[in-house]
Structure formats: C-alpha cells, structure tokens
Amino acid sequence: MSRHHALKHRVVTTFQRRVGNPILSRLPFQTLLETTGRTSGLPRRTPVGGRRVGNAFWFVSEFGDRSQYVRNIRADPRVRVRINGTWHTGTAHPLPEDDARARLKGLPRYNSAAVRALGTDLLTVRVDLNG
C-alpha cells in the first residue's frame, strides 16, 4: 500500500470512529451494520450505506479487509442490519470477485460518492437476510 493510501486510511478512519460514526449511529433513519467484535465479543455498530434487494442487503466497504467490520465479518459472519429502523439478522459475505465500483452505481448516490472519494480498497459485501 502506498504511503498516500495509508495516510488517507488513517485520517478517514479516525474521523469516522471519533466523529462521524457516533453522530450517524444515533440517527433513527441511518442504516447500521452490527458485527461481533472478533476480540471483545461485544456488538459493534457501524453506519453503512447500501440497499436492500429482495432478501439481501448490499454495500461496499471503503477499505476492504482493512475495515474493522470486515475483519469482524471474516471472524463471525452472523450480523444484524438496521434498515429503516427495523433490525434484521443475516449472514454477511465479502465478495472480492464482485466489481465494487459497478456495484456502487446501484447503491444510494451520496454514500456511493463518499465511498468512491474516500476509499482505497473497495470491497462488496452482501448480507443474506433471514426471513
């Protein structure tokens, strides 16, 4: 990874962790992904932008396997997603073979623009929702 990408990752994730995520997580309309912390075992909630299509929820991670929630998913793919204020359980699947840039075209516009602008290693994630 280039020094530029490493710096960008550090700046963006620090801002998200300390400012953006705490604010967005409190908004009732914000979509949230809940994973289980791979070390702590505690629930970890992260605001995400994506779209439900049938019984699947699709989103793109800006930093791929370097995202803490992706690392949590790889350790335990059982997740919950809050969509329009309702929690859904499911199983998350990182899809490195999917074209994440093309996927972003079908997801919410503003979030997709931010992911494209800030991301350095895009990764599509599909959550198969139960019921």
Side-chain angles (χ1 to χ4, degrees), residues 11 18 20-21 28 33 41 50-51 65 71 75 82 89-90 100 110-111 113 122 131:
V11 169
R18 296 192 178 163
N21 291 358
L33 172 71
R51 175 163 284 135
D65 285 321
R71 295 172 71 187
R82 186 179 77 184
T89 60
Y110 295 115
N111 181 76
L122 305 183

Side-chain angles (χ1 to χ4, degrees), residues 2-96:
S2 74
R3 286 176 38 177
H4 172 73
H5 283 165
L7 176 62
K8 189 176 190 180
H9 176 261
R10 191 168 55 248
V11 169
V12 170
T13 57
T14 298
F15 175 81
Q16 287 173 333
R17 189 176 5 229
R18 296 192 178 163
V19 179
N21 291 358
I23 293 169
L24 291 174
S25 294
R26 288 181 171 86
L27 300 176
F29 58 84
Q30 175 65 51
T31 301
L32 296 177
L33 172 71
E34 183 180 85
T35 61
T36 300
R38 63 194 175 283
T39 303
S40 69
L42 298 173
R44 301 296 183 195
R45 292 183 177 173
T46 305
V48 294
R51 175 163 284 135
R52 183 175 183 164
V53 179
N55 283 331
F57 180 79
W58 294 83
F59 67 98
V60 175
S61 167
E62 298 122 316
F63 300 111
D65 285 321
R66 293 178 53 223
S67 294
Q68 296 300 317
Y69 63 83
V70 172
R71 295 172 71 187
N72 290 343
I73 287 168
R74 293 221 186 263
D76 182 356
R78 295 171 299 172
V79 300
R80 293 193 324 149
V81 183
R82 186 179 77 184
I83 306 167
N84 296 324
T86 302
W87 285 100
H88 305 271
T89 60
T91 305
H93 305 278
L95 302 171

